[in-house]
Amino acid sequence: MAIEDDVLVIGGGLAGVTAALAAADEGTQVRLVTYKQSTLRHASGLIDVLGYTPDGEGPIVDPFDELEELPEGHPYERVGVDAVRDALEFFDDVVGDAYAGGHTDDNALVPTHGGTVKPTARYPSATAAGVASAPEDTLLVGFETLPDFEAPLAAAHLEAAGAPFEARGVTITFPGIKRDDAKVTRYAHLLDWDESVDGTTGARDALAAAVSDHLEDESRVGFPAVLGDDHPEEVRADLEDALGVEVFEVPMGPPSLPGMRLEDVLYSALEEKGVRVTSGVPVVDYETNGDPGRIDQVIVDRNGADVPHHADQYILATGGLVGKGVSSEREGVFEPLFDCYVPHAADRYDWFVDDVFGDQPYARFGVVPDTELRPLDEDDEPEFSNLRAVGGVLGGYDYAAEKSGGGVSLSTGYVAGKRAAKQVGE
Ligand SMILES: Cc1cc2nc3c(=O)[nH]c(=O)nc-3n(C[C@H](O)[C@H](O)[C@H](O)COP(=O)(O)OP(=O)(O)OC[C@H]3O[C@@H](n4cnc5c(N)ncnc54)[C@H](O)[C@@H]3O)c2cc1C
C-alpha cells in the first residue's frame, strides 16, 4: 500500500524546501523526502539573485534591470520577473527578521572572508551592519585558531577594492579555544551559553575585552560568522553593548553557521505548515501505471526496504553536480532518478575548458524545463505531465559565476510549488 500525499518533493535543499512551503501554502498535503545534507549547510547563507550577467558584466546594482535580458532557457526567463519578486517576498515572510535586504531591489555588497565584496539580494541580519556600501570605518577580527579568515589580509583586500571606508584587521586568541581543529559550532556554543573561559569570565565578556584592546576609531567590528548558533542576536547585542560599536558577521565557507541557521528556520517553517519530512533516505526509482508520460508512484529505499509513495504531483529538487541531482560518467551526463534529458556535448573533453575560471560548459549542465518547469525530452516534450524540476538540477545557468544560486532556487521552487498545488486533482 503506497503512502499518499498530494505533492511530493524530492530533495531538501533551498529549492525543495521552498517548493514544499509554497505548495503547502495552497492547502495541499505535501511530503518532502531528502537523502543527505543539502548545500544549505555549506553555502554562505547569502541569497544571490543575480550578481553578474552570463557574460560576466557586474557587479550588478539592480538585478531586476538585467533579468529581462537573460537568454531563453535561463531559469529566470522560464519563470518570469514577477515570479522572482513574489518568491523573494515569500522568502521574506518565511524568514522574518533573520534576514535583511528586502527594503530595496538593489544588491547589497557584502564583505566575504576572502576580502572581496559580493553582490547579494538577501543577507542574514547578523551581516547587515557590515554592508560595504556603508562608509563606516571597520575593524575585522580573526582568530589564530580559525585560519579560514585572515582578517588583516581581508581588510587590505577591501581597501584595495576601493571600499568607501578604512578597514583594519587583527588576529587574536578566541577565549576558551586553543586548538585549530575546533568546529565552528564550538565557537558558537561557547558564546551561546556564555560559558566561563577562565572560571570567572564568560566567553562574551572575554571576547569583548580581547577586541577592545585593538579598537580605535572604528564604528563597527566584523567577526567570522561564528557568533552564536541558538542565540545569535543575543550574542551580537551583548558584544555591541560591551564594545559600544556595531558588530557584524562575515560569511564564511563550508561548514557555514549562517547556512545552518537558515536551514533551521526553513525546517521549522515546514513543520509549522504541516509538511511531512522524510529524511536520510533516497528516492531510488519510480513507476508509471500504464501511462508512460505520468509518474504514478516513487520508491523510497528505507534501509533496504522499498517503500512506495504516491502523489498527484512531483517536484525534483535533487540539486546539481554537488547534490548528485545531475551525474556524469565517461559516456555521458544524466539525471539519475527519472532519466530526464540533460543536453551535453558527445565528447567529454568538450564538457570543460582549460581556463579554470573560464566559461565552463559543465557549470550549466542540468535538465531543460518548459515555462511550467516540467523537464523536456530531446523532442521538447515534457518528460512527465506531473513532474517539475527546480533549483540546482536545472540547467541553463552558471550559479557560481552569475551569483544566482539562491535566487534561482527560491524562484523556481516557489513557482513549482504553487503550480503543482493548483494542478492537484486536475
Ligand atoms: C559551497 C557552496 C556555496 C554556495 N554559496 C552560495 C551563495 O553564497 N549564495 C547563493 O545564492 N547560492 C550559493 N550556493 C548555491 C545554492 O546554495 C544551492 O546550491 C542552490 O541553491 C541549489 O540548491 P538545491 O536545493 O537545488 O540543491 P541542494 O542544496 O544540492 O539539495 C539537494 C538535496 O537533494 C537530495 N537528494 C539528491 N538526490 C536525492 C534522491 N534520489 N532522493 C532524496 N534526496 C535526494 C540531496 O541529498 C540534497 O539534500 C552555494 C552552493 C555551494 C555548494
Side-chain angles (χ1 to χ4, degrees), residues 141-145 172-178 186-187 190-191 194-198 201-211 223 239:
V141 175
F143 306 121
E144 289 142 1
T145 47
I172 65 170
T173 304
F174 189 97
I177 293 202
K178 298 199 173 31
R186 178 69 193 128
Y187 295 78
L190 262 171
L191 292 168
D194 205 14
E195 286 178 32
S196 168
V197 293
D198 58 5
T201 322
R204 297 176 195 177
D205 285 344
L207 179 58
V211 171
F223 293 89
L239 289 173

Side-chain angles (χ1 to χ4, degrees), residues 11 13-15 34-36 39 44 46 48 118 283 318-319 392 399 405-406 409:
L14 183 60
T34 193
Y35 187 24
K36 297 189 174 158
T39 57
S44 64
L46 302 175
D48 310 336
K118 184 166 191 235
V283 174
T318 45
Y399 79 78
S409 286

Side-chain angles (χ1 to χ4, degrees), residues 138-156 158 167-174 207-216 218 220-224 243 250:
T138 303
L139 176 69
L140 294 178
V141 175
F143 306 121
E144 289 142 1
T145 47
L146 202 61
D148 293 2
F149 182 54
E150 272 282 342
L153 193 62
L158 280 174
R168 254 182 347 110
V170 294
T171 304
I172 65 170
T173 304
F174 189 97
L207 179 58
V211 171
S212 58
D213 294 343
H214 296 276
L215 200 52
E216 294 173 5
E218 289 85 7
R220 57 185 177 179
V221 177
F223 293 89
L243 292 167
V250 176

Side-chain angles (χ1 to χ4, degrees), residues 291-315:
D291 170 0
R294 187 176 173 80
I295 299 166
D296 178 43
Q297 60 184 28
V298 296
I299 307 299
V300 172
D301 173 358
R302 270 182 189 249
N303 312 318
D306 282 353
V307 179
H309 282 255
H310 177 265
D312 189 275
Q313 300 291 318
Y314 296 86
I315 298 177

Side-chain angles (χ1 to χ4, degrees), residues 10-16 33-40 42-49 118 120 254 281-284 317-320 322-325 337 390-393 397 399 403-407 409:
I10 307 163
L14 183 60
V33 179
T34 193
Y35 187 24
K36 297 189 174 158
Q37 280 186 350
S38 78
T39 57
L40 265 173
H42 308 296
S44 64
L46 302 175
I47 303 291
D48 310 336
V49 168
K118 184 166 191 235
T120 194
V281 288
V283 174
V284 290
T318 45
V322 177
K324 301 273 182 276
L337 188 49
V390 297
V393 75
Y397 74 117
Y399 79 78
K403 310 290 179 227
S404 59
S409 286

Side-chain angles (χ1 to χ4, degrees), residues 224-312:
V226 298
L227 302 183
D229 185 9
D230 303 320
H231 308 293
E233 294 83 15
E234 211 187 285
V235 169
R236 229 177 34 256
D238 278 6
L239 289 173
E240 287 186 343
D241 287 349
L243 292 167
V245 296
E246 288 195 292
V247 164
F248 66 93
E249 285 187 330
V250 176
M252 300 288 288
S256 159
L257 259 168
M260 295 175 201
R261 294 182 203 135
L262 176 58
E263 187 178 62
D264 292 345
V265 170
L266 294 173
Y267 275 73
S268 309
L270 288 174
E271 201 177 332
E272 265 164 48
K273 288 218 189 258
V275 174
R276 299 163 175 169
V277 176
T278 305
S279 57
V281 288
V283 174
V284 290
D285 205 351
Y286 71 96
E287 291 167 5
T288 59
N289 184 7
D291 170 0
R294 187 176 173 80
I295 299 166
D296 178 43
Q297 60 184 28
V298 296
I299 307 299
V300 172
D301 173 358
R302 270 182 189 249
N303 312 318
D306 282 353
V307 179
H309 282 255
H310 177 265
D312 189 275

